[in-house]
Structure formats: structure tokens, C-alpha cells
Amino acid sequence: MVINGMTAKSTPLRIVLAKVGLDGHDRGIKVVARALRDAGIHVIYAGLWQTPEAVVRTVADEDADFVGLSLLSGAHKTLVPRVLDLLRAAGLDKVGVLVGGIIPESDIPELLQMGVAKVFGPGTSLEDIVAFLRQRSEAEP
Amino acid sequence: MNARLLERFRHGDRLALARLLTLVAREEDLGNIADQISNSKNCRVVAFTGSGGVGKSSLIGKLIETIRGQNLKVAVLACDPQSPLSGGALLGDRFRMPQRPQDDGVFIRSLAAESGQGAIAGNLGLMVRLCAGFGFDVVLIETVGAGQGESAVRDVADVVVLLLQPETGDDLQWEKAGILELADILAVNKADLPGADQVAAQVKTSMELSGHAVPVLEVSAKTGKGLADLWRAIQAIAGKHATAAPASELLRLAQQELKARFHAVLATGDASVQKIIDQFQAGKLSASAASRAVLKQLSERKR
């Protein structure tokens, strides 16, 4: 039986969304932030010009389940591995790393091999992102 | 339950603090965590409230630098609203605070606050105690952006700073009851803009008339104006207030325990409680009589 407003406390997913490096295009990440919010997810918006170190500190302090990095600058092959290394060094291997933005098809296998959970390029539907987060968090509680 | 996590917390593991805050936010194992955390006497708890857009996050961001300049360790608990529709939240306060990834003396945590909880996250008192117990000298609380009436933060903070801004309200605005009566310090933010001195003067006159004369300061998160004075005023008041765990925390724990039992009953079924619910729904028992009966059953029930 469910009584309105009295259901047991839910455990919303927590995701940090950040732009790493000097890229200043934040429309896409804001659209994603809004969609995830509307899907019942708690979005910690770290915003523009984050260093990899700052992103990892945010993920740690916020106890996030996922981190979404948006890169449109072409610096993904430098910045993403740096974030992955720092996450591992901080003992945060279990945090799912998502990458979005402009990533050439040919770079995707390399990013996945490094430990990125998924790359979402232009044209990805917002539903797909939500579905991926849900599926993965159920698979690895 | 969570013994290892609490052990790691006691040894200064930041990730354990972060996880414990998550558990408290989810209302898991509250009683145990509350029992295991010692009360830190030396921690100052300062809350910042005021309407959305008044500059709470930016001001806290600047104060972090001031506080670190005095070599005090600071934790920030920043509340933002949670959607009553989806349960989701966009927590964007830390976006306006400085990045200090190498500095272990700064901890910033974003919290979702459900509506109807007085503009702060649930169990904020216990979260403050966790931060204090971890060794932070100062805990800064940012409310959701209270309008006029939200006063729950008064219970958890030693000092409440209400932020105002230029071009808000006429002089009657400051005569209204509510948060103005509860604030320890009034700070007119955005003092780099015209009109700040006017608001400050109006508020000051109003507060003096009411006999609740509190410091009224002009500050600017943008230029840094008045920040050192604000921090001095906060410290002067914090020193006067003794920090004891408020009795309201007991009430909150008891409420949660009751709620947990109620949910357990709904989930697993309990014949005697179900009978009361059935009678209530059939109109055979009044709401007040039924709730008294449920209360009695729940409090006698073993978890």
C-alpha cells in the first residue's frame, strides 16, 4: 500500500556534471542536467572550467554514483584519462564515468578501454542517458 | 551496522564522511550514527538564509577564503530544492564556490531539500554534527533560499545571517514577522550596487524600533567589501551562544523512528495496525482516534 507522500525515503542517484578544461560551451551539459533532474536524479552541477583535480574532489565530497564530463574542445584524450587516474588514486573506482560532447567516433574505443562507462555524442536522446544510468546502477548497486 | 564506516570516519577518512552524509540524507541507520558521533564543542555553525538570488552561495564562497585565511577548517552544507514532482534536484551551489581541490580544510556538500521542511535538508542537525565530529571548526549552512517564514534553520545554527539586497521591499517589508525576528545578523549583499545603504538604513531603523537590535552590515560578494567585518560579527555572536544539541533533534529522531515503523508495517503487514487503518477507511473510527490507536500500536511494536 502506498500512501501519498508517505512512501519510504527513495534513494536518488547522484551525478556530478562538469566541464573540464577551458572549453566554455555549456548549453549541452545544462540540457542534460535538466533532463536528469526531471528524471528524479540529484544533479550536482559543477559547471565550467573545472580542473581534473577539482572534479575528483567534488565527486568524493558529494559521494556521487556517476560523473558526467562534457568536452567539446578536443582535449578529451588528455583530460579524461587524467580524471580516470585521479579517481582511481582517490579510491573512487566504482564511480561511473560518462563522457559527452564532441568526441570523434574513432576515439571512443580508446576512451572505453581506459575505463569510461559510456560516451554520448550529439543526437543522443535524453531518455537513453537516463536509461543507461538506471540500468547501470541496478547492475552494480 | 556501518561499524567499519564509522571507524574509518573516526580515522579521518573523508570518503567515510561523505558516505555517512549520504546515509543520513537517506534516513538510514540514523539512531546508530547519532549515537556514535561525539558532540564537538568547538565547532561554530553559521547559517545563511535569504531569498533565491540574493547571493548566498557567492558570499559563502568568499567567506571560505576569509575563514581559511585564519587557518580554520570549514565545511559547507548547501541546500537546494528537490522537485516535489520528480524527486530530482539540480544542486548548483558549489558552482559559485571556489575550487580548492588540494585543500583538506574545505569540504562542500550539496543537499537536496524537500519542500515543506523549512528550506533545509532533512536531518541537517545530524549532518552538522558529522562535520563537527570530523574536525571542522566552522560549518556554514546555506538554506534553499528562504522567503520570509522559514525558520527551521534557527534550531541547527549558532548564528543565523539573513541576506538582503538593494531594491527589495519598502519600509513596511521590514516590519513583518518571521525570519527577520530570528536572524542574528542582517547583511545587505550587493553593496556595490546603488540603494544598498538605503535598505540598510531602513532595516536598521525597523530593528531598533522593535528592540531586536542586531548588527546590520553592508557586504559585497563581488568586491569583497565588508566580508572581514561580517566574519568578525559572526565570531562575536558565535562566542556568546553555547552549543548544545537542541532538544528538537530528539523529536526528529522519534518522528523518524515512528515513520520507519509505519513504513515497515505497510511493507510487511501488521494485523492490528491494518485493522485500525481498515476501520478508519470504512469511517468507523475518527482520524484522531485512529491515529492515537496507530501510535500506540507502533510504539509497542518491536522493530
Side-chain angles (χ1 to χ4, degrees):
Chain A
M1 184 170 77
V2 172
I3 295 179
N4 189 27
M6 283 292 290
T7 48
K9 194 86 176 168
S10 61
T11 55
L13 293 174
R14 290 173 69 82
I15 183 168
V16 170
L17 292 184
K19 297 224 32 130
V20 223
L22 291 174
D23 162 15
H25 300 89
D26 60 355
R27 174 58 60 195
I29 197 172
K30 281 177 176 159
V31 170
V32 172
R34 169 75 83 93
L36 298 183
R37 185 203 82 178
D38 289 344
I41 292 167
H42 286 182
V43 179
I44 298 112
Y45 186 74
L48 291 170
W49 307 310
Q50 299 287 304
T51 62
E53 287 79 5
V55 170
V56 172
R57 176 42 75 84
T58 299
V59 171
D61 287 359
E62 298 286 356
D63 192 24
D65 306 297
F66 293 94
V67 55
L69 305 173
S70 161
L71 296 108
L72 290 84
S73 60
H76 49 274
K77 281 167 89 173
T78 315
L79 292 170
V80 172
R82 179 94 187 114
V83 171
L84 289 166
D85 287 346
L86 289 167
L87 282 173
R88 282 187 204 108
L92 296 165
D93 328 46
K94 283 200 161 178
V95 175
V97 179
L98 313 175
V99 175
I102 305 296
I103 311 292
E105 282 289 331
S106 53
D107 290 347
I108 293 177
E110 196 181 330
L111 291 176
L112 295 179
Q113 207 184 357
M114 285 172 189
V116 170
K118 185 89 177 166
V119 177
F120 293 107
T124 305
S125 81
L126 296 165
E127 289 80 12
D128 285 350
I129 303 177
V130 172
F132 179 82
L133 293 177
R134 295 232 181 280
Q135 194 186 4
R136 197 181 140 108
S137 65
E138 276 160 26
E140 292 177 33
Chain B
M1 211 174 158
N2 294 316
R4 264 195 66 198
L5 189 60
L6 285 156
E7 191 58 31
R8 281 170 52 206
F9 171 86
R10 275 185 220 104
H11 285 95
D13 181 342
R14 237 177 131 97
L15 295 181
L17 169 64
R19 178 54 51 89
L20 283 169
L21 289 170
T22 306
L23 293 181
V24 171
R26 290 177 181 171
E27 300 186 350
E28 287 177 30
D29 204 20
L30 286 176
N32 181 36
I33 295 173
D35 289 349
Q36 300 284 325
I37 304 302
S38 56
N39 275 322
S40 166
K41 291 249 183 309
N42 298 320
C43 182
R44 301 289 181 227
V45 186
V46 187
F48 292 82
T49 189
S51 56
V54 75
K56 296 180 292 298
S57 306
S58 303
L59 192 76
I60 288 174
K62 282 290 170 68
L63 271 181
I64 288 175
E65 310 280 353
T66 308
I67 294 167
R68 288 303 289 143
Q70 296 189 353
N71 214 14
L72 296 168
K73 288 185 279 179
V74 55
V76 180
L77 299 174
C79 306
D80 261 337
Q82 173 173 322
S83 165
L85 303 176
S86 69
L90 205 160
L91 310 172
D93 290 327
R94 68 178 307 138
F95 172 54
R96 306 184 185 97
M97 297 176 191
Q99 298 180 31
R100 300 180 64 117
Q102 324 292 354
D103 184 356
D104 286 338
V106 179
F107 180 93
I108 303 173
R109 180 59 178 254
S110 314
L111 302 167
E114 291 173 54
S115 57
Q117 289 198 135
I120 53 174
N123 302 305
L124 192 65
L126 185 48
M127 295 185 189
V128 167
R129 278 181 58 204
L130 278 169
C131 293
F134 194 78
F136 286 100
D137 304 304
V138 180
V139 178
L140 304 181
I141 297 169
E142 175 174 347
T143 73
V144 161
Q148 305 183 70
E150 292 84 353
S151 54
V153 73
R154 179 72 272 178
D155 281 348
V156 287
D158 301 321
V159 182
V160 175
V161 181
L162 175 64
L163 295 191
L164 305 169
Q165 58 187 335
E167 303 289 344
T168 41
D170 54 19
D171 50 0
L172 187 67
Q173 194 64 29
W174 319 117
E175 305 299 325
K176 292 183 183 172
I179 190 74
L180 268 175
E181 300 172 281
L182 303 173
D184 301 300
I185 296 173
L186 302 176
V188 182
N189 193 23
K190 309 186 188 179
D192 50 298
L193 298 179
D197 49 350
Q198 203 181 334
V199 169
Q202 281 176 354
V203 172
K204 206 166 194 166
T205 311
S206 165
M207 299 313 278
E208 278 164 4
L209 277 175
S210 68
H212 178 62
V214 298
V216 178
L217 303 170
E218 288 179 46
V219 298
S220 168
K222 195 173 182 180
T223 64
K225 176 187 173 182
L227 284 176
D229 289 340
L230 175 59
W231 181 239
R232 261 194 296 279
I234 289 169
Q235 284 184 307
I237 290 169
K240 280 188 231 158
H241 288 191
T243 38
S248 58
E249 195 179 317
L250 270 186
L251 176 63
R252 213 164 292 136
L253 267 181
Q255 281 173 333
Q256 257 130 20
E257 177 68 32
L258 195 61
K259 206 166 139 191
R261 288 177 186 213
F262 192 69
H263 288 310
V265 164
L266 294 184
T268 62
D270 176 305
S272 49
V273 175
Q274 193 57 49
K275 207 171 135 197
I276 301 167
I277 296 175
D278 291 343
Q279 283 178 332
F280 166 64
Q281 288 180 331
K284 288 178 191 154
L285 211 53
S286 76
S288 62
S291 69
R292 275 197 302 275
V294 168
L295 194 59
K296 186 161 179 286
Q297 287 294 337
L298 289 178
S299 52
E300 284 165 4
R301 189 184 140 92
K302 287 196 186 76
R303 265 197 103 168

